[in-house]
Amino acid sequence: MNRNLRKTVIAGNWKMNKTPAEAVKLIEELKVVAENKKNCDIIICVPFVDLPAAVEACKGTDIKVGAQNVHFEKSGAFTGEISADMLLELGVNYVIIGHSERRQYFGETDDTVNLRTKAALEAGLTVILCIGELLNEREDGITAEVLSMQTKKALKGLTAEQMKKVIIAYEPVWAIGTGKTATAQQADEACGIVRDTVASIFDKAVADATTIQYGGSMNAKNAAELLSMENVDGGLIGGASLKAPDFGVIIDAAQ
Ligand code: PEP
């Protein structure tokens, strides 16, 4: 495996935090810590209502803006939903799909993750696709099967060309927002399993070029070790992405 074949991506998932005015304030702080950090892509995934303000505030910077979900239909009677075209028209180019909180609280399934992924890619968005095992699945020793199955279902029907716009975030559900982080070895092993699965679906070249992030309580203290692993090509960061100094340390660790 050659790490130089793929991009390192540091992405923040703000979850349901920050009003538009608060978002602009945080972005002003993030601009300082993100300046001239050329060795990784930096993305912030903000609540829908913050998107216009975030796109405007990030203009002329290296910070890219993403959403946290997208619907798979182009338009229609889907009250409360947002389409890929709506995001693109705002200047949004990234979207998180299949986050464990959406799977846990909003009925997201592997099938809807696949539908959303295909719709987002067809519209031209880049997808941050989240997968990860539950605690009981890890304890039962079925992490590899779960990750492989989720990856296969999410990527069903995609072309190798479309994979150029897919970032996979390996996020063990037991580590998200809990303060419990996977060890660097666990993260590397799991990202390696996902990469092998991508190779089995497509080929080694596609797998080698796919960015696979780790997410789950990554913070200023543990980022350097996690990001030093061969198969960990960046991070999807929740809590620590809301604190500019901490997010800055994580960006620096990715340099
Ligand atoms: C996330 O929201 O994807 C996440 C990893 O959250 P946290 O970093 O807070 O665990």
Side-chain angles (χ1 to χ4, degrees), residues 13 15 99 101 171 175-179 215-218 236-240:
N13 173 20
K15 311 191 192 222
H99 192 278
E101 287 152 17
E171 299 208 302
I176 298 176
T178 58
S217 299
M218 187 183 275
L236 180 57
I237 299 116

Side-chain angles (χ1 to χ4, degrees), residues 132-143 146 170-176 178 180 186:
E133 82 285 2
L134 302 168
L135 182 58
N136 68 299
E137 292 168 335
R138 178 161 284 271
E139 286 171 350
D140 289 349
I142 57 166
T143 298
V146 170
Y170 162 63
E171 299 208 302
V173 179
W174 48 271
I176 298 176
T178 58
K180 268 190 210 165
Q186 284 172 326

Side-chain angles (χ1 to χ4, degrees), residues 158-206:
L158 266 60
T159 63
E161 188 59 28
Q162 285 178 313
M163 282 303 291
K164 292 181 183 160
K165 294 189 105 178
V166 175
I167 296 163
I168 300 178
Y170 162 63
E171 299 208 302
V173 179
W174 48 271
I176 298 176
T178 58
K180 268 190 210 165
T181 318
T183 63
Q185 286 70 26
Q186 284 172 326
D188 190 49
E189 192 191 354
C191 291
I193 290 165
V194 177
R195 199 176 307 286
D196 288 347
T197 308
V198 174
S200 77
I201 305 168
F202 299 96
D203 56 29
K204 187 174 179 301
V206 171

Side-chain angles (χ1 to χ4, degrees), residues 39-83:
N39 289 336
C40 67
D41 282 358
I42 302 167
I43 307 166
I44 51 170
C45 297
V46 306
F48 284 135
V49 294
D50 293 351
L51 288 169
V55 168
E56 187 57 35
C58 290
K59 269 191 190 143
T61 76
D62 289 328
I63 306 173
K64 300 170 172 86
V65 178
Q68 298 172 11
N69 191 23
V70 66
H71 199 261
F72 40 83
E73 294 293 346
K74 284 190 96 51
S75 64
F78 303 102
T79 302
E81 293 296 319
I82 300 285
S83 74

Side-chain angles (χ1 to χ4, degrees), residues 221-240:
K221 289 207 177 94
N222 59 28
E225 193 187 355
L226 287 161
L227 294 171
S228 71
M229 304 309 285
E230 170 83 23
N231 278 301
V232 179
D233 310 318
L236 180 57
I237 299 116

